[in-house]
Amino acid sequence: MTVPTATRRIGVLTSGGDCAGLNAAIRAVVLHADALGWEVIGIEDGTLGLLDRPVRARRLMPAEFDGILLRRAGTMLGTVSTGDPFAARMPDGTVVDQSERMREGIAELGLDALIGIGGDGSFRILDRLARLAGVPFVGVPKTIDNDVYGTDAAIGFNTAVEVAVEALDRLQPTAQSHDRVMVLEVMGRDAGHIAIHAAVAGGADICLIPEIPYSMEGLTAKLRAVSASGRSFALVVVSEAVRTDTGEPVAHVKPDGRIRYGGIGHWLAERIEAEIGVDSRVTVLGHVQRGAEPIAVDRVVASALGVHAVDLIAAGRAGRVAVWSRRGVGDLPLEEVVGRTRLVEPDDILVRTALGLGIYIGDLPPG
Ligand code: F6P
């Protein structure tokens, strides 16, 4: 049972790339906090709202969540996906510590606790900031990449998979009509979760993910086998951080050091055409995977994690991340989550399933 403590005002913000289900999570925080008699202050544009004066934040009222926001993509609060306020890079190249101004912002809002809906990088920064401000912090994991350690599903992941599967559903008829190989490039950064889930659910023949090495020999052998079976089209899913067969990254490094992926799909289609002479086309899904209306399971996960985050604060259990695991909620200490990346492991059920379906997923060692 939840025993309310002296906490009276919770701040909530979204941080990092947006995804489907963020508004559902904010809604859950507001509704549950309200039921406990607490206020929720929504901070705008991630930590950036704390830099401005007056601080860009407002009281979130349960009445605002009239049903529309539960369904709406994006984040009603705005977000920021660049920079570390403890070492913010200015336009002139200098690096500035903005944390003191943000601490003042938290104090100005009179917050008793902070809930951050973000990825593990955001958790590290927000926890540090909350400590500086002397308020407890709880993290709620969101990312289409699903790479947050300790949670089976981060908010937004399942909707991103749904979008990718819908894309395959639309690519299949046109692939069949034109006897083509259709390459679908999906997001995910260093984790192939979106790709392998989409490949299994969308009936792909080939799925390349960053975690598993592949060879053009293996890949073309699969395409030849498909052709030999009497089928004249094929579907290929490739995750954005997959490298060329010689290990070259297909990405741009931005001035701030961030890697921007995109392009491996085009590289792959060219190679397929060159190697086996079959007409190939590419679809790069990109941010379409983030902007969709959240599907039911994402609304469930977002709601459960939002409620649990409030419960953690109520129970005085700060410094934790709410997680969705084995169809239930739980929580882990921040230190266990931060700095780790949840990748597709060789013994993952999706790897086993893909192999069982005959999908070429790379050259795995035997056994
Ligand atoms: O981390 C989520 C994600 O959508 C990745 O899959 C992708 O590589 C990246 O963000 C794109 O970032 P941005 O929105 O900055 O282009």
Side-chain angles (χ1 to χ4, degrees), residues 17 81 143-145 187-189 240 258 260-261 287 290:
S81 62
T143 164
I144 65 166
D145 305 340
M187 282 184 163
R189 298 194 78 83
E240 61 180 2
R258 273 177 68 87
R260 193 166 291 171
Y261 292 109
H287 294 79
R290 298 214 317 227

Side-chain angles (χ1 to χ4, degrees), residues 83-358:
D84 174 351
F86 289 89
R89 189 173 291 277
M90 298 291 111
D92 65 1
T94 54
V95 174
V96 175
D97 183 351
Q98 300 171 315
S99 59
E100 178 52 24
R101 193 166 169 79
M102 291 186 177
R103 184 200 63 76
E104 285 168 8
I106 292 174
E108 195 174 296
L109 292 174
L111 299 184
D112 298 303
L114 182 65
I115 292 178
I117 308 169
D120 87 296
S122 300
F123 295 158
R124 184 183 54 77
I125 292 166
L126 294 173
D127 182 53
R128 202 171 154 200
L129 204 55
R131 279 174 200 265
L132 198 65
V135 299
F137 171 74
V138 168
V140 173
K142 66 86 219 166
T143 164
I144 65 166
D145 305 340
N146 210 24
D147 60 356
V148 177
Y149 178 81
T151 191
D152 294 343
I155 297 168
F157 168 65
N158 283 294
T159 303
V161 170
E162 192 71 18
V163 173
V165 173
E166 267 179 41
L168 288 171
D169 290 349
R170 290 168 194 205
L171 289 171
Q172 187 277 331
T174 174
Q176 184 165 13
S177 304
H178 286 271
D179 298 341
R180 283 174 174 162
V181 172
M182 289 294 186
V183 177
L184 178 69
E185 179 183 312
V186 298
M187 282 184 163
R189 298 194 78 83
D190 298 324
H193 298 290
I194 297 178
I196 199 157
H197 279 73
V200 166
D205 303 288
I206 291 169
C207 175
L208 304 184
I209 61 174
E211 295 92 332
I212 302 179
Y214 70 97
S215 62
M216 284 313 292
E217 294 73 39
L219 188 149
T220 51
K222 173 66 188 180
L223 290 175
R224 289 197 174 95
V226 167
S227 173
S229 76
R231 179 147 57 82
S232 56
F233 72 93
L235 297 177
V236 178
V237 180
V238 59
S239 195
E240 61 180 2
V242 166
R243 295 178 170 220
T244 68
D245 58 338
T246 52
E248 296 300 318
V250 185
H252 312 283
V253 180
K254 304 304 286 180
D256 65 0
R258 273 177 68 87
I259 296 173
R260 193 166 291 171
Y261 292 109
I264 185 65
H266 285 95
W267 177 88
L268 194 59
E270 292 285 329
R271 280 298 299 272
I272 289 171
E273 283 197 347
E275 299 246 347
I276 58 170
V278 61
D279 206 15
S280 302
R281 294 290 187 276
V282 188
T283 301
V284 179
L285 267 189
H287 294 79
V288 167
Q289 293 154 101
R290 298 214 317 227
E293 210 171 69
I295 63 169
V297 64
D298 260 326
R299 298 182 202 188
V300 169
V301 170
S303 301
L305 293 182
V307 166
H308 191 61
V310 173
D311 277 339
L312 284 172
I313 286 169
R317 299 181 63 227
R320 302 189 74 82
V321 176
V323 297
W324 179 262
S325 177
R326 296 173 190 273
R327 208 181 159 275
V329 285
D331 46 86
L332 292 172
L334 264 156
E335 313 81 67
E336 217 175 290
V337 174
V338 167
R340 296 169 87 165
T341 307
R342 180 179 172 274
L343 298 175
V344 176
E345 298 295 337
D347 61 351
D348 191 297
I349 180 64
L350 267 295
V351 169
R352 230 180 80 204
T353 305
L355 290 173
L357 293 170

